[in-house]
Amino acid sequence: MNQKLLKLENLLRFHTIYRQLHSLCQRRALRQWSHGFSSAYPVWTAQLYAWPWPTEMLTGAALSQYRFLVTKKEERPQKSQLSSTKSKKVVEVWIGMTVEELARAMEKNTDYIYEALLNTAIDIDSLEADSHLDEVWIKEVIMKAGMKLKWSKLKQDKVKKNKDAVRRPQADPALLTPRSPIVTIMGHVDHGKTTLLDKLRKTQVAAMEVGGITQHIGAFLVSLPSGEKITFLDTPGHAAFSAMRARGAQVTDIVILVVAADDGVMKQTVESIQHAKDAQVPIVLAINKCDKAEADPERVKKELLAYDVVCEDYGGDVQAVPVSALTGNNLMALAEATIALAEILELKADPNGPVEGTVIESFTDKGRGPVTTAIIQRGTLRKGCVLVAGNCWAKVRLMFDENGKTIHEAHPSTPVGITGWRDLPSAGEEILEVESEPRAREVVDWRKYEQEQEKGKEDVKIIEEKRKEHQEAYQKAREKYSNVQWKKRSLLQYLEIKEQTSLKRKEEMERDSNVLPVIIKGDVDGSVEAILNIIDTYDASHECELELVHFGVGDISANDVNLAETFNGVIYGFNVNVGKIIQESAAKKGVKMKLHKIIYRLVEDLQEELSSRLPCAVEEHPVGEASILATFSITEGKKKVPVAGCRVQKGQLEKQKKFKLTRDGHVIWKGSLTSLKHHKDDISIVKTGMDCGLSLDEENMEFKVGDRIVCYEEKQIQAKTSWDPGF
C-alpha cells in the first residue's frame, strides 16, 4: 500500500512540473505578443498568469485527502490482523495445586473449575476450594478454557532457621547441689495409695476422694520429722490411666509400688512395674493392709518374682516394707527406706541458670485463668520468669504450693502452681525458661510451624493414597465398559449411579441412627486426657459409631450445649459444674448432660448410652417341648398333609406361639402350626403328659419318630455393646 502511495505522489508531482513548464512556455510567447496586443487582451492575460496556482493547491489537497483515506484503510486490517494472531493465555500451573489456586491462576472463579470438571470421572460433590487436583484434571480444565498451560516447580519456601528452645547442656558436677527425691506412688486400684499419702502428709486428701480412687495426678511436698523432704506424685491407680502413670514414671526418681497383702499382684500392679522399668526407675515395695487377718506378705514377694521384682529377702535389691496405711503402722520405715535409696542415688540438681521442669497437670481457674502444677527440675523459678511449654508460654504472675500458699521461689524437686499462662499447656509438656516475651513468641511460632509442616506431609501422603485409589477405581470402571456399546454403556452407568445414590442415602440414614456424638469436659487436662485415652480403645464401631465432637477443660458452657444440640449428642462432664441457666437451656433444647466424679462410672454410663443405640436383640424362651411318637398323613381336599403324633414332655404347647423342629440336636424348621388336635378336637393348649396331633405350615416337611417339637416365644432385650474398656 505504501508503494502505491509513493507512485501516486510521484505521478502527481510529475504532472505539476509538466504544467509549470507549459506555463513558462506560454509566458514567453505572451511577452513577445505583449508589444502588439497588450491593450487588446488584458483579462485573458491575467487569467493565464493565475491558472497554475489553483491547480497546485487542488492537487495538494487531493493528495493529502488520499493519504488520510489510505492510512485509515491500512490501519483497519492491521488491527484485525493483530486480533487474529493474538496468542492464547498461558497459565502457570504445578502438580498438586488446589481448586482455588487454579481458579486464581486462570483469573476465574471456583464455579468455573467445577463446571469444567462436570461429566468427568472426578466426584464433583467431594471437591472443595482447598481440594488438590491431579495432573489429569488440571490439563482438562485448561484445555476446556482454551488456554495454554506451563508447568512450574513448586515454590520452595526458604529453609527457616530452627528457633526452638532446648534444654541447656549438663552443668559442671561441682556446681550441683543435693535435692529432694521425686517419688511416684503406683499400684492397683483400691490398694491404699491415697490413704498412704494421707498419713504421710497428714492431710485429708483420701477423705475428699470419691469411691477411693484418685482422679488425676497431684504433686505434693512432704516434710518428714527428720527434716528430709520428699516430693510425691500421686498417680491414679486405675487401669484406664496407664498413660498418665507412664508420664509420672518419666519425671520421677523412685517408685513406691503399693501391693495389698490380701489381694496380691493384680493387673494394674504389673502395668506399674512395666512403667517403672521403662523409665529405669528403682522400686521400693510397700506391702499394704498388713493389719488384716488374711494378709500374706510373703505371698506378695513370691508373686513379684515372676515379674523380675526381687526383694532383699530373696537376694535382690528391692526394699520391701510391710505397712498399714489405715493405722499408720511402719510408715516412717517406708519413708526412711525411700530417703536411704535417694542417698544411694545421690540426687543432685543445678539451682542456677534457666528453669527446666515438667507440667504435671493443668486446669482453668475462674479467678486465676490457666493454671499449671509443675515440678521444677533445674534452675530456680521466680516471679516474672518467662516460660515456654509446648505451644504455650507464660510470664509467671503468681506461684503457690500444694496448699495454695503463695511462694516466691521454687527450687529443683519442688512442686509449684504457676499462673500467667496465655493458653493452657497439656500435662506432661516440658517447661523451659527463655530470655524474654518476644523470644517466647518466637519459640511458640516455630513449634506451630513445625506442626504445620508435619501435618502437611501427612496430608500429602493421604492425598497420594486417595489419588491412587481413585485412579485404580477409574481404570477398573473403564475396563468394565470397554467392550460394551455406547448405548448399553450409558444405560449401565445410569443404573449404577442410581443404585449408588440409593445405597448412599440408606447408609447415611443408618449412620445417623447408629452414631453417638459426645462432648467431654473435665476439671483438669490430665482427667480429660485419661477419658480420651479410654475412648481411643473403642473398637465396636461396627455396632455403633462413637464420634468425639469436642473436648476441653472447664465447666460446661452454652457453646457445649449448642454443639450437642447441633450434633444430637451427649455431654459428659467430669468434676465440673453447670450453671442454672445452662441447665435450663439444655433442658429446653433436649440435650443430655451427664455429670460424674468417678471416671469408671462415666465410662459405664457411656457403655449404657452406646448400648441404647443398638437394635434390640431377640431371645427365645422355651414354653414347652414334645417328642414325636408316630407319623401319618391325612387328606384335605386333594392334598395329603403330614401329621405328627406327639406327647408333651415338659411345659405346654400353645398354638399361637412359635415352634421349631429339631432332629439330632439341629434345628431343621421354624414356623407356626396349622392345626393342633387332641383326638378329634381342635385345641389351643396341650399340657404336659397329654398326646396330640399337629401339622406344620411347611407342607413338604417330613416327620421322623424321635424328632422333637419345641414351643417358644420371642422376647426383645436390650443389646449390650461389645466394647470392653479394660476394667
Side-chain angles (χ1 to χ4, degrees):
M1 188 63 68
N2 291 332
Q3 290 178 355
K4 290 180 180 180
L5 185 61
L6 288 171
K7 286 180 181 180
L8 181 61
E9 287 181 353
N10 292 332
L11 184 62
L12 291 171
R13 283 173 184 160
F14 176 76
H15 179 69
T16 305
I17 292 168
Y18 170 76
R19 296 302 297 266
Q20 286 177 351
L21 289 172
H22 181 69
S23 175
L24 288 171
C25 293
Q26 284 183 337
R27 285 177 186 175
R28 281 183 184 174
L30 287 172
R31 282 195 194 105
Q32 292 174 1
W33 297 345
S34 61
H35 299 287
F37 306 98
S38 57
S39 59
Y41 304 97
V43 177
W44 178 76
T45 306
Q47 288 177 352
L48 273 176
Y49 282 115
W51 182 77
W53 165 246
T55 304
E56 287 184 65
M57 192 169 126
L58 289 171
T59 304
L63 184 60
S64 64
Q65 185 68 20
Y66 185 78
R67 279 179 182 165
F68 174 76
L69 291 172
V70 168
T71 307
K72 195 168 183 181
K73 285 180 182 178
E74 205 170 75
E75 284 175 0
R76 284 178 185 170
Q78 279 180 357
K79 284 186 180 178
S80 60
Q81 190 177 1
L82 284 171
S83 61
S84 63
T85 59
K86 187 178 179 181
S87 60
K88 293 180 180 179
K89 181 178 178 180
V90 178
V91 181
E92 189 173 2
V93 297
W94 58 89
I95 295 173
M97 71 189 307
T98 63
V99 173
E100 189 176 5
E101 289 171 344
L102 181 57
R104 197 182 303 119
M106 296 174 64
E107 297 180 0
K108 306 282 187 182
N109 54 23
T110 53
D111 291 338
Y112 184 87
I113 308 298
Y114 297 141
E115 289 174 8
L117 292 173
L118 283 173
N119 301 320
T120 61
I122 196 168
D123 185 8
I124 299 294
D125 296 333
S126 65
L127 279 183
E128 300 292 340
D130 56 349
S131 299
H132 294 269
L133 293 172
D134 291 337
E135 181 180 343
V136 179
W137 309 124
I138 294 172
K139 288 181 178 178
E140 182 78 14
V141 173
I142 298 294
M143 183 187 71
K144 286 186 177 180
M147 300 179 182
K148 287 185 178 180
L149 60 84
K150 176 186 176 184
W151 292 103
S152 67
K153 293 181 180 180
L154 285 171
K155 296 178 181 178
Q156 296 181 350
D157 295 332
K158 291 182 180 178
V159 178
K160 289 190 176 182
K161 186 180 178 182
N162 191 333
K163 298 179 180 179
D164 200 2
V166 294
R167 285 180 176 266
R168 53 195 168 97
Q170 292 294 330
D172 185 356
L175 301 175
L176 302 180
T177 58
R179 64 174 177 83
S180 304
I182 302 173
V183 179
T184 298
I185 304 284
M186 288 187 176
H188 190 73
V189 62
D190 212 16
H191 275 200
K193 301 182 301 300
T194 305
T195 309
L196 183 65
L197 279 173
D198 179 40
K199 288 293 181 181
L200 285 170
R201 64 191 172 183
K202 299 193 184 298
T203 60
Q204 297 299 316
V205 173
M208 291 186 292
E209 296 291 352
V210 182
I213 180 171
T214 306
Q215 304 301 340
H216 52 262
I217 291 177
F220 309 93
L221 185 65
V222 176
S223 297
L224 303 179
S226 61
E228 300 285 347
K229 292 183 178 180
I230 303 175
T231 297
F232 284 97
L233 297 183
D234 181 16
T235 63
H238 209 280
F241 306 177
S242 59
M244 295 179 64
R245 278 207 303 271
R247 179 179 297 135
Q250 288 168 359
V251 297
T252 195
D253 302 312
I254 300 169
V255 167
I256 294 180
L257 182 64
V258 179
V259 184
D262 56 343
D263 285 344
V265 176
M266 305 294 282
K267 181 180 177 182
Q268 285 80 30
T269 309
V270 178
E271 290 177 2
S272 301
I273 294 169
Q274 191 59 48
H275 293 321
K277 286 184 176 180
D278 292 343
Q280 299 180 351
V281 177
I283 294 174
V284 174
L285 177 61
I287 305 175
N288 195 21
K289 301 185 181 181
C290 288
D291 54 326
K292 286 190 173 183
E294 61 271 22
D296 188 358
E298 291 301 317
R299 179 172 70 93
V300 173
K301 295 177 185 178
K302 290 176 183 177
E303 288 178 352
L304 288 172
L305 290 173
Y307 305 101
D308 296 330
V309 178
V310 185
C311 298
E312 291 177 338
D313 297 347
Y314 294 93
D317 56 357
V318 176
Q319 300 177 78
V321 184
V323 298
S324 173
L326 191 63
T327 62
N329 184 32
N330 223 20
L331 290 187
M332 282 302 104
L334 178 62
E336 289 170 3
T338 305
I339 293 297
L341 181 57
E343 289 176 355
I344 293 171
L345 296 174
E346 295 183 353
L347 301 173
K348 293 182 178 181
D350 180 12
N352 303 313
V355 173
E356 296 176 8
T358 303
V359 177
I360 302 301
E361 69 178 16
S362 59
F363 58 94
T364 302
D365 187 271
K366 285 185 178 179
R368 295 171 174 173
V371 180
T372 61
T373 301
I375 294 288
I376 305 303
Q377 293 168 310
R378 294 178 71 183
T380 302
L381 183 65
R382 296 180 177 85
K383 184 179 177 181
C385 289
V386 181
L387 307 178
V388 174
N391 291 342
C392 307
W393 68 277
K395 184 174 183 180
V396 179
R397 191 172 62 211
L398 178 67
M399 298 186 297
F400 52 91
D401 60 13
E402 66 273 12
N403 300 316
K405 184 180 177 182
T406 303
I407 57 176
H408 302 289
E409 288 185 346
H411 299 281
S413 297
T414 304
V416 58
I418 304 170
T419 66
W421 294 93
R422 299 311 191 261
D423 296 300
L424 197 65
S426 300
E429 294 284 4
E430 181 184 58
I431 295 176
L432 297 174
E433 184 182 357
V434 293
E435 304 85 19
S436 61
E437 293 184 29
R439 171 62 179 146
R441 293 190 188 95
E442 188 178 60
V443 171
V444 170
D445 290 343
W446 167 257
R447 291 179 177 180
K448 288 179 179 177
Y449 167 76
E450 276 193 320
Q451 287 181 356
E452 289 174 1
Q453 294 296 106
E454 290 297 323
K455 187 177 182 299
K457 290 178 183 177
E458 292 174 3
D459 290 345
V460 168
K461 287 181 182 178
I462 294 169
I463 290 165
E464 187 64 24
E465 290 173 3
K466 292 287 184 184
R467 187 182 66 81
K468 286 180 180 178
E469 289 176 7
H470 178 77
Q471 285 184 343
E472 288 174 3
Y474 180 69
Q475 289 297 331
K476 286 180 181 178
R478 291 199 62 172
E479 290 171 4
K480 184 178 179 182
Y481 301 116
S482 59
N483 299 324
V484 182
Q485 292 182 353
W486 69 271
K487 286 185 178 180
K488 191 174 181 181
R489 182 167 63 244
S490 300
L491 177 62
L492 291 173
Q493 287 176 344
Y494 169 74
L495 293 174
E496 188 176 350
I497 291 168
K498 189 176 180 181
E499 185 181 359
Q500 287 177 354
T501 305
S502 62
L503 286 172
K504 192 174 181 182
R505 287 176 183 171
K506 188 178 179 182
E507 287 175 2
E508 286 177 356
M509 289 174 66
E510 289 177 356
R511 184 183 179 280
D512 292 340
S513 61
N514 211 28
V515 177
L516 176 60
V518 295
I519 295 170
I520 305 296
K521 295 300 289 286
D523 55 343
V524 296
D525 187 71
S527 298
V528 174
E529 184 184 11
I531 297 168
L532 296 181
N533 288 336
I534 296 170
I535 291 175
D536 284 342
T537 65
Y538 185 71
D539 56 359
S541 296
H542 59 284
E543 298 173 348
C544 179
E545 189 175 344
L546 182 61
E547 183 179 3
L548 182 64
V549 175
H550 173 67
F551 64 89
V553 177
D555 293 338
I556 295 172
S557 63
N559 184 46
D560 300 325
V561 175
N562 292 334
L563 276 174
E565 182 191 18
T566 303
F567 289 92
N568 192 25
V570 181
I571 302 174
Y572 285 93
F574 177 76
N575 272 342
V576 295
N577 299 318
V578 184
K580 189 175 180 181
I581 297 173
I582 303 297
Q583 288 180 357
E584 292 174 355
S585 175
K588 190 181 293 183
K589 294 177 179 179
V591 173
K592 289 183 183 178
M593 288 193 301
K594 301 189 176 185
L595 307 179
H596 295 274
K597 292 186 178 295
I598 304 173
I599 286 188
Y600 61 78
R601 295 291 184 202
L602 184 149
V603 176
E604 287 175 358
D605 194 328
L606 182 57
Q607 285 178 297
E608 291 176 5
E609 189 67 34
L610 285 165
S611 299
S612 68
R613 302 289 176 114
L614 302 180
C616 291
V618 178
E619 280 191 352
E620 296 178 357
H621 292 269
V623 176
E625 187 177 320
S627 60
I628 297 176
L629 304 178
T631 62
F632 52 91
S633 60
I634 60 172
T635 303
E636 290 183 357
K638 294 182 180 180
K639 294 181 181 180
K640 284 189 175 183
V641 179
V643 177
C646 307
R647 179 172 293 164
V648 180
Q649 302 294 334
K650 55 183 175 182
Q652 61 185 24
L653 304 185
E654 300 179 21
K655 187 178 179 182
Q656 302 302 323
K657 303 290 184 183
K658 293 189 175 182
F659 290 80
K660 59 184 176 181
L661 177 65
T662 63
R663 182 177 296 162
D664 299 328
H666 300 287
V667 178
I668 60 175
W669 168 85
K670 278 186 177 184
S672 57
L673 302 182
T674 55
S675 67
L676 179 64
K677 293 188 177 185
H678 178 63
H679 300 303
K680 292 184 179 181
D681 300 327
D682 289 325
I683 56 176
S684 58
I685 296 176
V686 183
K687 296 183 179 179
T688 306
M690 294 177 63
D691 294 335
C692 65
L694 54 84
S695 60
L696 312 179
D697 59 1
E698 179 66 44
E699 296 179 357
N700 299 324
M701 181 59 62
E702 293 183 0
F703 297 109
K704 286 186 179 181
V705 176
D707 290 351
R708 305 187 75 81
I709 294 287
V710 179
C711 176
Y712 66 94
E713 60 181 356
E714 292 181 345
K715 290 184 178 179
Q716 288 189 342
I717 60 167
Q718 182 61 54
K720 290 186 178 180
T721 179
S722 61
W723 173 45
D724 182 12
F727 56 87

